[in-house]
Amino acid sequence: MVSLRVPAAATWPMASWMSHHGISASSWGSRLPILQGGTFAFVAPSLAMLSLPAWKCPEWTLNASQVNTSSPEFTEEWQKRIRELQGVIMVASCVQILVGFSGLIGFLMRFIGPLTIAPTISLMALPLFHSAGNDAGTHWGIAAVTIFLIVLFSQYLKNVAVPMPIYGREKKLHTSKFYLFQVFPVLLALCISWLLCFVLTVTNALPAAPTAYGYQARTDTKANVLSQAPWFRFPYPGQWGLPTISPAGVFGITAGVISSIVESIGDYYACARLVGAPPPPKHAINRGIGIEGLGCLLAGAWGSGNGTTSYSQNIAALSITRVGSRMVIVAAGCVLLVMGVFGKIGAAFATIPTPVIGGMFLVMFGIIAAVGISNLQYVDMNSSRNIFVFGFSIFCGLAVPNWVNKNPEMLHTGILQLDQVFQVLLTTDMFVGGFLGFLLDNTIPACTETTKSRKTCPCLPETQGSPEERGLLTWSQIHEESEETMKASEIYSLPCGIGTKFCTSSYTRYLPFWPRPEHHGKGEVGACQLTLCSQDSSGECLKGATETTM
């Protein structure tokens, strides 16, 4: 056992501050409709750190049914682990802040290509098949219903318009067509499956024995969470005590930060592609990464036990709902603020049955993995070099952490701190896969079509593959075009005219995270309005697609 069960009353307020960071990141960071929240990138390093001998749970805590969760001894056991996570997250977040606002990430973009981003994002979702399968496996019938409804609403009924009553000043009460299934496929599927589980629970169609198959589909299995949660609780920095720091934890979470940065870069490009926006320019990427670092720092200060990053799940939701709006993200953040501060509301969502969550995970994680793989569209996949880099990175990203988790004793070097660092890094799937992808992509030479006409086929004299082969040429062309377009200036400029109408000092051009004034036109400078819609391969808006204003 590597972690303690934290009382629900202590966890719900954390969501409010994570969602608050999402509002800031959407408005001031990359300017894309991405929700910021707790990241899976920190889960593996956190579990690896907590699996060290110093953080092994005491024997008396292993049987949760015999533990008094309100006792001071138990409270101290889980809070000291939260304090350790709190401290290392705050230190590691400073690395992300520095990388973002210094412009270093923009400089490194020339070395980070699709063959680095693709395995990193894919390995965020692929290792979670075990968790998603276990959750769905608690009742495959309910999970299948959830999956069926999501697929039905998002894919088959997405162009079906539903008449909805609308009240306006001119037409008063009237009906208008609304693409309900396209906008709310996940929410509708969740509510219907949740209601089905409630009916089956009330009628006792689901087993009442905790050990019976299907028990986790009942809606009353977590009724104590709702009763124990406070009506109102306002979180504050240092609520768990003074944070602590250990070198192994800092290195491990820093690896998670690096994975989160690479993941976020891929998320920015994926989000822009899904909502029809041009690829983000370098200043938007720098600013987005820096704001995410600030979000991690605040999350650590408030003691959430996790950092924040761009939600790849939100990217998956964008691909399903086809709604890409900053205002939607701000509204979602406000809802999460209410859920976090008012404990009863947040706790009510904890009663969602496990197989419903598992069914949603199977869809969402599959889309995340596909979003990662979709970055390979810029790469020449006829090249055996690229096939090797991607395949080897993915497979080692799954195999190495699995072996290290099963054989932790094989990493003993005689230096405890070094052992801990290796343990954390090598059990983080995204770090292993992303690092191998980055290393191989930047060192393996190319053997391109331009050399095949020779009698021999010597590799090019460069120390790495050609930009065309690696997909960097296409990326750089798209990136340069997005830097110059008025459309990009409208989307990625700071809000309220900052940097265009206000704060336009000549010194700001040296700030790597500041919009470039020369890229703005003479018209509406710094505009925030842009209509986006789903597009087909020819670039035309799909019939019935929901138009979105950013």
Side-chain angles (χ1 to χ4, degrees):
M1 185 176 183
V2 297
S3 61
L4 288 173
R5 181 173 60 89
V6 181
T11 61
W12 294 119
M14 300 172 189
S16 64
W17 298 103
M18 292 184 185
S19 60
H20 173 72
H21 305 155
I23 297 175
S24 301
S26 176
S27 300
W28 294 90
S30 65
R31 302 289 288 152
L32 288 166
I34 300 178
L35 185 69
Q36 299 286 313
T39 169
F40 286 104
F42 288 1
V43 172
S46 299
L47 292 178
M49 185 190 74
L50 295 176
S51 65
L52 298 174
W55 298 109
K56 286 288 185 180
C57 294
E59 292 292 335
W60 59 271
T61 64
L62 299 182
N63 191 343
S65 61
Q66 299 180 1
V67 174
N68 181 11
T69 58
S70 60
S71 65
E73 294 81 7
F74 181 81
T75 301
E76 175 59 22
E77 283 295 331
W78 69 260
Q79 284 190 0
K80 67 182 182 182
R81 289 162 174 77
I82 291 290
R83 290 195 296 268
E84 177 71 12
L85 288 174
Q86 187 175 359
V88 297
I89 288 172
M90 293 176 67
V91 173
S93 64
C94 295
V95 176
Q96 188 169 7
I97 295 173
L98 179 63
V99 167
F101 288 125
S102 67
L104 179 60
I105 189 63
F107 171 78
L108 292 176
M109 282 297 296
R110 69 183 65 182
F111 304 107
I112 299 176
L115 288 173
T116 300
I117 292 177
T120 302
I121 297 180
S122 298
L123 286 171
M124 192 196 78
L126 291 177
L128 298 176
F129 76 93
H130 188 267
S131 175
N134 285 343
D135 288 347
T138 56
H139 196 295
W140 278 110
I142 298 298
V145 170
T146 305
I147 296 171
F148 170 78
L149 292 174
I150 294 177
V151 174
L152 176 67
F153 295 153
S154 65
Q155 303 300 322
Y156 293 99
L157 301 180
K158 60 184 178 182
N159 294 325
V160 176
V162 179
M164 300 290 289
I166 296 178
Y167 183 83
R169 292 183 178 180
E170 297 180 358
K171 294 185 179 181
K172 301 301 181 181
L173 185 63
H174 64 284
T175 60
S176 178
K177 291 184 177 180
F178 180 67
Y179 293 91
L180 179 68
F181 302 114
Q182 184 181 107
V183 178
F184 302 114
V186 178
L187 182 61
L188 289 174
L190 171 65
C191 293
I192 294 174
S193 298
W194 197 357
L195 179 61
L196 174 62
C197 291
F198 176 75
V199 172
L200 295 177
T201 300
V202 173
T203 57
N204 287 323
L206 295 172
T211 57
Y213 177 79
Y215 172 76
Q216 294 297 326
R218 296 180 64 93
T219 56
D220 57 359
T221 57
K222 302 175 183 177
N224 62 323
V225 173
L226 188 60
S227 61
Q228 293 176 4
W231 281 103
F232 180 83
R233 186 177 187 275
F234 194 80
Y236 56 90
Q239 58 184 324
W240 316 124
L242 186 65
T244 59
I245 299 172
S246 65
V250 170
F251 278 101
I253 298 299
T254 300
V257 166
I258 295 172
S259 300
S260 175
I261 291 174
V262 177
E263 172 199 342
S264 294
I265 294 173
D267 285 344
Y268 296 162
Y269 280 92
C271 180
R273 185 167 67 250
L274 289 174
V275 301
K282 288 183 180 180
H283 68 80
I285 295 176
N286 292 333
R287 193 170 60 245
I289 296 301
I291 291 294
E292 286 190 20
L294 289 175
C296 286
L297 182 64
L298 294 176
W302 260 267
S304 65
N306 200 344
T308 61
T309 190
S310 299
Y311 255 1
S312 296
Q313 294 91 329
N314 178 244
I315 307 298
L318 285 177
S319 68
I320 293 177
T321 63
R322 296 169 180 82
V323 175
S325 171
R326 296 190 192 110
M327 292 309 299
V328 172
I329 299 301
V330 172
C334 293
V335 171
L336 292 177
L337 281 169
V338 174
M339 289 171 55
V341 175
F342 294 92
K344 294 293 185 183
I345 299 177
F349 284 87
T351 62
I352 299 176
T354 301
V356 176
I357 300 296
M360 294 175 58
F361 279 174
L362 288 175
V363 176
M364 293 299 183
F365 291 157
I367 294 177
I368 294 170
V371 167
I373 296 173
S374 69
N375 286 278
L376 297 176
Q377 64 182 297
Y378 305 109
V379 179
D380 179 13
M381 292 309 292
N382 291 320
S383 167
S384 59
R385 170 196 181 276
N386 293 340
I387 292 176
F388 170 79
V389 172
F390 178 72
F392 183 74
S393 301
I394 284 284
F395 199 78
C396 283
L398 294 171
V400 172
N402 180 68
W403 181 85
V404 174
N405 280 322
K406 293 181 178 179
N407 302 276
E409 70 282 353
M410 301 298 291
L411 293 178
H412 291 319
T413 63
I415 305 174
L416 179 60
Q417 290 77 10
L418 187 61
D419 293 345
Q420 294 172 346
V421 170
F422 283 153
Q423 176 82 19
V424 173
L425 294 181
L426 294 180
T427 53
T428 305
D429 306 82
M430 289 182 298
F431 175 80
V432 175
F435 175 76
L436 288 175
F438 175 83
L439 178 65
L440 297 176
D441 188 35
N442 285 279
T443 56
I444 295 180
C447 189
T448 63
E449 293 293 332
T450 58
T451 63
K452 291 183 178 180
S453 60
R454 304 175 187 173
K455 294 181 179 179
T456 59
C457 188
C459 290
L460 296 178
E462 298 96 344
T463 58
Q464 58 190 29
S466 65
E468 296 90 347
E469 192 177 13
R470 299 170 61 194
L472 295 179
L473 185 61
T474 305
W475 264 37
S476 62
Q477 290 176 348
I478 295 175
H479 185 78
E480 290 173 0
E481 292 173 359
S482 70
E483 287 274 5
E484 301 294 336
T485 60
M486 180 61 184
K487 188 178 180 182
S489 300
E490 293 175 347
I491 295 175
Y492 298 108
S493 60
L494 290 171
C496 305
I498 297 176
T500 55
K501 295 180 180 179
F502 310 103
C503 303
T504 56
S505 171
S506 59
Y507 295 105
T508 59
R509 73 179 60 183
Y510 300 107
L511 298 176
F513 55 88
W514 207 259
R516 300 296 180 261
E518 62 269 20
H519 295 152
H520 294 280
K522 297 180 180 180
E524 289 291 332
V525 184
C528 294
Q529 298 297 323
L530 177 67
T531 299
L532 304 175
C533 64
S534 301
Q535 298 178 346
D536 57 14
S537 59
S538 63
E540 297 293 333
C541 290
L542 293 174
K543 182 179 179 181
T546 301
E547 292 187 349
T548 308
T549 300
M550 289 185 64

